[in-house]
């Protein structure tokens, strides 16, 4: 090779440039294909719903389950509203709006959890 001649050019390429580009999978695809990441997303939804259900169950145990203890420790049978003792009013009338309210709160919170999960899944 003569001193004036430049060496021949050599092209060096990375093997990554010839590989086809990977597409990023969406969360929906991860869940549908049941990948490890999809399982993490589903487990987080189930865990949040379970936490909510346990909290509601604890509230019911405290609110309704404590009534027999209240009746045992106090003399509410002596208190009467009309011809009916107060204990019957509590069991027959007051408990049902409490149950309805707890159920309403549970459904609203459950829908909020699912809406947050849906927003996460549909995020690009």
């Amino acid at each position: 090779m003569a001193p004036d001649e430049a060496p021949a050019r050599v092209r060096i390429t990375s093997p990554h440039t010839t590989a086809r580009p990977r597409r990023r999978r969406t969360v929906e695809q991860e869940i549908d294909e049941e990948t490890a990441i999809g399982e993490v997303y589903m487990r987080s939804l189930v865990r949040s719903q379970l936490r909510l259900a346990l909290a509601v169950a604890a509230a019911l145990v405290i609110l309704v389950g404590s009534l027999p203890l209240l009746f045992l420790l106090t003399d509410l049978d002596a208190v009467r509203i009309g011809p009916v003792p107060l204990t019957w009013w509590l069991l027959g009338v007051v408990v049902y709006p409490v149950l309805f309210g707890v159920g309403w709160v549970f459904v609203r919170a459950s829908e909020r959890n699912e809406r947050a999960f849906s927003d996460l899944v549909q995020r690009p």
Side-chain angles (χ1 to χ4, degrees), residues 109-120:
S110 178
E111 288 174 347
R112 185 176 55 240
N113 284 346
E114 290 176 2
R115 198 169 30 254
F117 180 77
S118 177
D119 291 344
L120 175 70

Side-chain angles (χ1 to χ4, degrees), residues 29-114:
Q29 290 171 331
E30 295 284 352
I31 292 171
D32 289 342
E33 295 172 8
E34 298 178 3
T35 63
I37 294 172
E39 287 182 26
V40 168
Y41 282 113
M42 289 305 298
R43 217 174 314 133
S44 72
L45 174 65
V46 170
R47 197 170 32 245
S48 67
Q49 295 291 54
L50 177 63
R51 235 185 343 263
L52 176 63
L54 291 175
V56 168
L60 283 176
V61 165
I62 291 169
L63 293 173
V64 178
S66 64
L67 285 178
L69 183 63
L70 176 70
F71 298 154
L72 181 67
L73 296 176
T74 61
D75 190 26
L76 292 178
D77 279 339
V79 179
R80 293 186 172 272
I81 300 175
V84 182
L86 181 59
T87 54
W88 284 91
W89 283 104
L90 289 175
L91 288 174
V93 176
V94 174
V95 168
Y96 294 105
V98 170
L99 291 175
F100 179 80
V102 169
W104 184 78
V105 167
F106 174 75
V107 168
R108 297 288 302 218
S110 178
E111 288 174 347
R112 185 176 55 240
N113 284 346
E114 290 176 2

